Amino acid sequence: MRRKRFTDLTVDDVCEEAGVSKGSFYSYFDSKQDLLIGLLEDDAASMEESIERLSKPGRSGLERLEAFARAMLKRGEDASRVQVLGDLWAAVSSDDMIRQRFSETIRRRRVLLRSWIEEAVAAGEIRELPPNALAAIVLALGDALMLHASLDPAGFQWRNVGSVLILLLEGLRPPKA
């Protein structure tokens, strides 16, 4: 199905690829837009499971942030996920309902990342900085990398991107006295 962008797919295309009838499709979804929302919700649930695991005690704020960055990069290795997220971003620009749901998901992630960053700042693991700004940058960077990867998949070696991202996060540590 990845031969076409989501916007170019018809319900018939989706049903053919999935091997289901249109009746089956419409028993789960009212429209193709509802399918995209379902994909968004599935992606959000997957990421929130990952975040929940990272939130458990035993890791510092910086370790959580680095693990989150690695998890986002790992998701970028899945070409179909990257394409769906590219399609989602395209839909966000023109569909208020999708934009609202996606905004809520991003806000929840940013709040959690901000709490990890606040913890890391308070513990002296990273420099004093505006936690919400860093949380927004980390989220935006992950999404932007996936969008760029959807445009030029051959131009991304996720292992290298991950190495550089971890180096950037390491650069947040305070200078040694």
Side-chain angles (χ1 to χ4, degrees), residues 11 16 21 45 106 171:
V11 171
E16 181 180 329
S21 68
I106 295 300

CSV table of all heavy atoms in Angstrom, one decimal, residues 11 16 21 45 106 171:
chain,number,residue,atom,x,y,z
A,11,VAL,N,-10.7,3.9,-0.4
A,11,VAL,CA,-11.1,2.8,0.5
A,11,VAL,C,-11.0,1.5,-0.2
A,11,VAL,O,-10.6,0.5,0.5
A,11,VAL,CB,-12.6,3.1,1.0
A,11,VAL,CG1,-13.1,1.9,1.8
A,11,VAL,CG2,-12.6,4.3,1.9
A,16,GLU,N,-8.4,-3.7,-0.5
A,16,GLU,CA,-7.7,-4.7,-1.3
A,16,GLU,C,-6.4,-5.1,-0.6
A,16,GLU,O,-6.1,-6.3,-0.5
A,16,GLU,CB,-7.4,-4.2,-2.7
A,16,GLU,CG,-6.7,-5.1,-3.6
A,16,GLU,CD,-6.5,-4.6,-5.0
A,16,GLU,OE1,-7.3,-3.7,-5.5
A,16,GLU,OE2,-5.4,-4.9,-5.6
A,21,SER,N,-13.4,-6.8,3.0
A,21,SER,CA,-14.4,-6.2,2.2
A,21,SER,C,-14.7,-4.8,2.7
A,21,SER,O,-14.3,-4.4,3.8
A,21,SER,CB,-15.7,-7.0,2.4
A,21,SER,OG,-16.2,-6.8,3.7
A,45,ALA,N,-0.6,5.4,21.0
A,45,ALA,CA,-0.6,4.4,22.1
A,45,ALA,C,0.8,3.7,22.2
A,45,ALA,O,1.3,3.4,23.3
A,45,ALA,CB,-1.7,3.4,21.8
A,106,ILE,N,0.7,15.5,21.1
A,106,ILE,CA,2.0,16.2,21.2
A,106,ILE,C,2.1,16.9,22.6
A,106,ILE,O,3.2,16.9,23.2
A,106,ILE,CB,2.2,17.2,20.1
A,106,ILE,CG1,2.3,16.4,18.7
A,106,ILE,CG2,3.5,18.0,20.3
A,106,ILE,CD1,3.5,15.4,18.6
A,171,GLY,N,25.8,17.2,25.2
A,171,GLY,CA,26.3,18.6,25.3
A,171,GLY,C,25.5,19.4,26.2
A,171,GLY,O,25.9,20.6,26.6
